[in-house]
Amino acid sequence: MPTVDDVLKQVGEFGWFQKQAFLTLCLLSAAFAPIYVGIVFLGFTPDHHCRSPGVAELSRRCGWSRVEELNYTVPGPGPAGEAFPRQCRRYQVDWNQSALRCADPLADLAANRSHLPLGPCEHGWVYDTPGSSIVTEFDLVCADAWKLDLFQSCVNMGFFLGSLTVGYIADRFGRKLCLLATVLVNAIAGVLMGLVPDYVSVLLFRLLQGLVSKGSWMAGYTLITEVVGSDYRRTVAILYQVAFTVGLVLLTGLAYVLPHWRWLQLAVSLPTFLFLLYYWCVPESPRWLLLQKRNAQAVKIMNHIARKNGKLPPEDVRMLSLEEDVPGQLSPSFADLFRTPSLRRRTFILMYLWFSSSVFYQGLIMHMGATGGNLHLDFLYSALVEFPAAFIIFVTIDRFGRRYPLAVSNLVVGAACFSMVFISHDLHWLKITVACVGRMGVTIVLQMLCLVNAELYPTFIRKAKPKEKTTYFEIQTSEGPGN
């Protein structure tokens, strides 16, 4: 009986149908970028200082420039150049006093400004930015700066919780239904997040976005890899992730044009409703249909692929089956990942690599927002280095295998992050260059992990209903265990 791969070789492994589906699903991958790293623009923290009643009127009366107003009324940096006193403390002075002079208003109150009492910001902050972010709108600075970290932690927690449930939904109800459901919830949550008036509601909708957005990205990844032939599976998997990088570049342009965070949030959320059109544009995975014993629908989809590709379906297409469709079924479970010493070792190594790479990736992205340079240009530079990262994978993966590029890339990331500790903030160009090198390395690691993750596990763990008992102890991959 012919398998899905056998039929795809005859009707087209990457014909017009697969190309159309691939480009369509790449839009979904690009739309995931603002959710994953959007905090760089949604939560940027500009220079700020305490708002002091009376300062604006005194500045207007004295005709001060912006620089003079700051020099006369805002505390200087603290010990060793720390900015905290300047940003989070204010002089406890009544700026409405008529005795204050314009030349040096604090000179008559104390011979040395360091002797003047400082107090907390009781009247809010003044932000030096033409736009807005959740930081400027909800005053997430100084004592409340931890709330910005909580904002990003919520989406990361959503990714984690969603990974425990969305995978089951995709296996139980289908990749297409999972994709459509998560896209709908993600779009609604994204729009509401840009409309709600309070921080707690923003936090809740951000968490909801995290719960479903990674699942929709993975559903698209699974769909496209399951409708192309085996010779093209690796290529589309890498290019699907390159589409995410395209989303990063587009996000930079949008953030520049829309400096106010609510407009930016709506601009990246409203178009995602169009992904509901995938109901008509994207088919269900024929492999999943065969797993569910819905052979007639799988055959219908394979016939549709043949027509779109201008091919004739093979005569025995109605006998379509899975590669593993033999007696001796096993019921895979989470415990199978740790059942043998070999599987335990692979599982713990991959868990560590996924965790460390995700932390490094987000950390390097957050670093772009804290360098003190041009936020948009720095973010763009770091996004552009992901394109050569994909090229390096294409060049090295067959020549050197998986382990050596993976190991070297991890060393590059570690060395870049370690060296950045010793680079002076005045050498902005050097810090950005080293950060971009680290960003390239961690991108290679993450993209490589997506490939290695599927190749290091037996077939029966990677499939919903594998059949071969012998694969329990073997690596069943087309490349073999040596790579």
Side-chain angles (χ1 to χ4, degrees):
M1 292 185 295
T3 65
V4 175
D5 284 337
D6 293 334
V7 175
L8 285 174
K9 287 182 182 297
Q10 299 181 57
V11 303
E13 293 188 282
F14 196 59
W16 171 250
F17 172 85
Q18 286 94 341
K19 292 174 182 176
Q20 185 180 30
F22 169 70
L23 292 175
T24 302
L25 289 171
C26 278
L27 297 175
L28 182 69
S29 182
F32 178 57
I35 301 172
Y36 194 66
V37 299
I39 188 176
V40 174
F41 300 111
L42 298 177
F44 74 92
T45 303
D47 290 334
H48 53 278
H49 62 274
C50 296
R51 175 179 283 108
S52 299
V55 166
E57 175 60 26
L58 181 62
S59 178
R60 186 193 62 79
R61 177 169 62 85
C62 295
W64 288 337
S65 66
R66 175 68 172 171
V67 174
E68 289 175 325
E69 179 181 325
L70 294 176
N71 288 337
Y72 289 147
T73 63
V74 176
E82 293 178 3
F84 181 79
R86 183 179 184 87
Q87 295 177 343
C88 303
R89 309 282 282 178
R90 66 177 181 87
Y91 290 122
Q92 291 185 320
V93 172
D94 181 8
W95 294 101
N96 292 314
Q97 298 178 52
S98 57
L100 294 177
R101 296 179 301 174
C102 291
D104 190 356
L106 301 179
D108 295 335
L109 301 179
N112 191 331
R113 288 193 186 185
S114 61
H115 297 157
L116 287 172
L118 296 177
C121 298
E122 298 177 348
H123 306 283
W125 283 263
V126 177
Y127 297 96
D128 185 16
T129 176
S132 67
S133 70
I134 61 171
V135 171
T136 64
E137 181 167 335
F138 302 114
D139 288 334
L140 307 185
V141 292
C142 300
D144 288 331
W146 61 273
K147 293 182 179 180
L148 178 61
D149 297 327
L150 181 61
F151 176 79
Q152 184 63 14
S153 297
C154 276
V155 73
N156 288 333
M157 179 60 69
F159 291 156
F160 173 72
L161 297 177
S163 66
L164 301 177
T165 56
V166 175
Y168 169 78
I169 294 173
D171 285 339
R172 178 67 179 85
F173 301 102
R175 285 76 163 106
K176 185 175 178 178
L177 179 61
C178 175
L179 175 65
L180 294 173
T182 51
V183 160
L184 178 60
V185 176
N186 180 41
I188 295 174
V191 170
L192 291 178
M193 185 185 130
L195 298 176
V196 292
D198 59 287
Y199 168 77
V200 175
S201 298
V202 168
L203 214 60
L204 291 176
F205 287 119
R206 190 63 168 175
L207 174 63
L208 184 57
Q209 272 199 304
L211 283 170
V212 296
S213 59
K214 190 65 176 289
S216 62
W217 187 90
M218 285 304 301
Y221 182 93
T222 304
L223 259 177
I224 191 56
T225 55
E226 290 187 344
V227 297
V228 301
S230 57
D231 293 339
Y232 294 89
R233 210 162 288 151
R234 181 197 306 162
T235 302
V236 299
I238 296 174
L239 292 179
Y240 184 78
Q241 296 175 79
V242 171
F244 174 84
T245 306
V246 175
L248 295 177
V249 176
L250 295 177
L251 174 62
T252 309
L254 272 177
Y256 181 79
V257 175
L258 301 172
H260 297 279
W261 79 272
R262 290 189 181 274
W263 287 111
L264 177 61
Q265 177 64 24
L266 292 175
V268 300
S269 298
L270 285 172
T272 57
F273 280 104
L274 296 176
F275 294 144
L276 295 175
L277 297 175
Y278 285 176
Y279 179 83
W280 294 277
C281 302
V282 177
E284 181 56 88
S285 166
R287 301 174 189 274
W288 179 83
L289 291 171
L290 290 173
L291 286 170
Q292 304 301 313
K293 305 302 181 184
R294 294 159 62 176
N295 294 40
Q297 295 181 23
V299 170
K300 182 178 179 180
I301 289 175
M302 297 306 290
N303 288 330
H304 177 69
I305 294 176
R307 288 196 303 272
K308 286 290 186 178
N309 290 343
K311 304 280 187 177
L312 291 176
E315 296 179 358
D316 56 353
V317 68
R318 294 187 179 276
M319 304 296 292
L320 192 64
S321 68
L322 287 174
E323 297 90 329
E324 305 85 359
D325 199 7
V326 296
Q329 295 188 10
L330 292 172
S331 297
S333 68
F334 181 76
D336 291 319
L337 297 173
F338 307 92
R339 197 170 298 277
T340 68
S342 179
L343 286 176
R344 280 196 297 272
R345 183 174 66 253
R346 293 169 192 159
T347 298
F348 284 124
I349 290 174
L350 287 174
M351 288 174 63
Y352 173 76
L353 288 175
W354 276 115
F355 173 78
S356 60
S357 301
S358 299
V359 171
F360 278 129
Y361 187 82
Q362 288 204 4
L364 288 168
I365 287 177
M366 300 306 135
H367 175 76
M368 293 301 166
T371 57
N374 187 306
L375 175 62
H376 297 88
L377 282 179
D378 291 346
F379 187 87
L380 179 62
Y381 297 150
S382 68
L384 291 176
V385 299
E386 293 193 9
F387 290 109
F391 176 76
I392 291 173
I393 293 177
F394 279 122
V395 172
T396 61
I397 195 169
D398 287 326
R399 182 172 301 179
F400 302 104
R402 280 76 166 142
R403 287 179 298 183
Y404 293 116
L406 196 60
V408 171
S409 299
N410 271 295
L411 287 174
V412 169
V413 177
C417 292
F418 182 76
S419 61
M420 285 169 62
V421 177
F422 304 99
I423 300 176
S424 171
H425 286 286
D426 296 331
L427 298 174
H428 175 73
W429 66 270
L430 183 58
K431 289 184 76 73
I432 292 299
T433 301
V434 174
C436 286
V437 172
R439 177 79 171 272
M440 182 187 298
V442 76
T443 301
I444 294 174
V445 173
L446 286 171
Q447 294 194 9
M448 195 78 76
L449 282 175
C450 287
L451 301 175
V452 172
N453 201 77
E455 295 175 349
L456 284 183
Y457 286 109
T459 305
F460 95 101
I461 291 179
R462 291 186 281 111
K463 302 290 185 181
K465 282 187 180 180
K467 317 293 196 281
E468 288 255 351
K469 266 195 175 180
T470 55
T471 60
Y472 187 86
F473 303 102
E474 300 174 13
I475 301 177
Q476 301 293 326
T477 65
S478 57
E479 286 77 16
N483 285 339

